Amino acid sequence: MKTFVVLMGAPGAGKGTQAKKLEAALNLPQVATGDLFRANLKNNTELGQLARTYMDKGELVPDEVTVAMVRDRLSQPDCEQGAILDGFPRTTAQAAALDALLSDFSAKIAVVPFIDVNQDVLVERLVKRAEIEGRADDNVETIRVRMQVYHSETAPLLDYYDEKGLLVKINGEQAIDEVTADLTQVVRKVM
Ligand code: AMP
């Protein structure tokens, strides 16, 4: 059976860290739209140049561009058994597109773990990450915009998935390995 997992959580909740750990533990590829955009940026592709204008401001790249990129990625052979989606979907339009896309693959979302972290902790983590990784979009102004975008565009998806009975809340303020253990357990149940 195919296992598509949608990892939800605000910027700084630890989605990337956890998706990488799940990738190893469950042998499912991590598909992170932010990473895909950053790879395009680095290789200076047309897609990268377009994405940069949005990413630099902390805004979302338009849905049709993002969805097309995800469709491409999920069509790769390594995603045949499923994937861990990290940072996608981020809008209700993207969520609808994902449902349609998976139905084309005769698949559906298995579970939507939500890594829950308090707002103050999130900002603190993002500022720290800015110092360590030097990500261009981890500055105070961009962090503020990304949080706003998360609350207005992405947070409504929590209700969308909850109504479908797919949402499982995970305490994201535990130690990294404890969060991984909770997530692994939740995903294994649906594999
Ligand atoms: P992330 O690494 O997930 O925090 O993403 C970094 C940036 O890439 C975001 O602030 C957006 O500009 C862009 N991005 C990543 N995923 C998406 C998405 N699903 N839809 C639109 N833009 C995205």
Side-chain angles (χ1 to χ4, degrees):
M1 206 178 78
K2 303 172 202 278
T3 312
F4 288 92
V5 178
V6 171
L7 217 48
M8 293 283 295
K15 293 189 300 296
T17 303
Q18 293 299 336
K20 281 193 188 74
K21 288 181 167 275
L22 284 180
E23 178 171 50
L26 303 168
N27 202 24
L28 287 173
Q30 172 199 19
V31 171
T33 40
D35 288 350
L36 294 173
F37 283 131
R38 277 185 289 277
N40 274 281
L41 258 159
K42 203 168 147 205
N43 296 328
N44 208 19
T45 66
E46 216 171 293
L47 173 63
Q49 285 170 15
L50 173 79
R52 183 193 299 274
T53 55
Y54 298 93
M55 292 173 82
D56 282 351
K57 289 184 275 184
E59 294 169 3
L60 294 183
V61 179
D63 286 335
E64 47 300 355
V65 176
T66 307
V67 169
M69 180 177 74
V70 171
R71 183 182 298 121
D72 257 16
R73 181 65 190 90
L74 292 184
S75 305
Q76 304 295 313
D78 64 320
C79 293
E80 220 152 81
Q81 291 313 309
I84 299 155
L85 295 171
D86 159 11
F88 180 91
R90 259 178 157 97
T91 64
T92 46
Q94 289 181 13
L98 177 62
D99 289 341
L101 196 63
L102 292 182
S103 129
D104 286 347
F105 297 145
S106 307
K108 51 188 170 46
I109 297 168
V111 67
V112 181
F114 165 52
I115 308 177
D116 190 20
V117 176
N118 183 285
Q119 172 84 19
D120 300 341
V121 179
L122 291 172
V123 175
E124 202 178 296
R125 283 187 189 176
L126 287 171
V127 171
K128 210 175 276 171
R129 183 167 83 188
E131 287 162 10
I132 297 167
E133 293 179 17
R135 248 178 70 163
D137 60 351
D138 271 345
N139 58 70
V140 172
E141 177 54 21
T142 319
I143 289 170
R144 199 178 58 78
V145 176
R146 280 158 65 210
M147 284 298 174
Q148 273 173 359
V149 169
Y150 172 76
H151 285 294
S152 61
E153 306 282 330
T154 311
L157 292 182
L158 297 176
D159 282 343
Y160 175 79
Y161 288 126
D162 196 22
E163 277 159 22
K164 287 176 181 278
L166 291 171
L167 197 77
V168 179
K169 203 193 255 194
I170 307 277
N171 174 4
E173 292 184 25
Q174 307 175 89
I176 290 177
D177 287 345
E178 286 172 312
V179 178
T180 309
D182 283 0
L183 281 168
T184 311
Q185 196 185 28
V186 162
V187 179
R188 283 226 167 98
K189 262 196 208 159
V190 296
M191 278 184 102

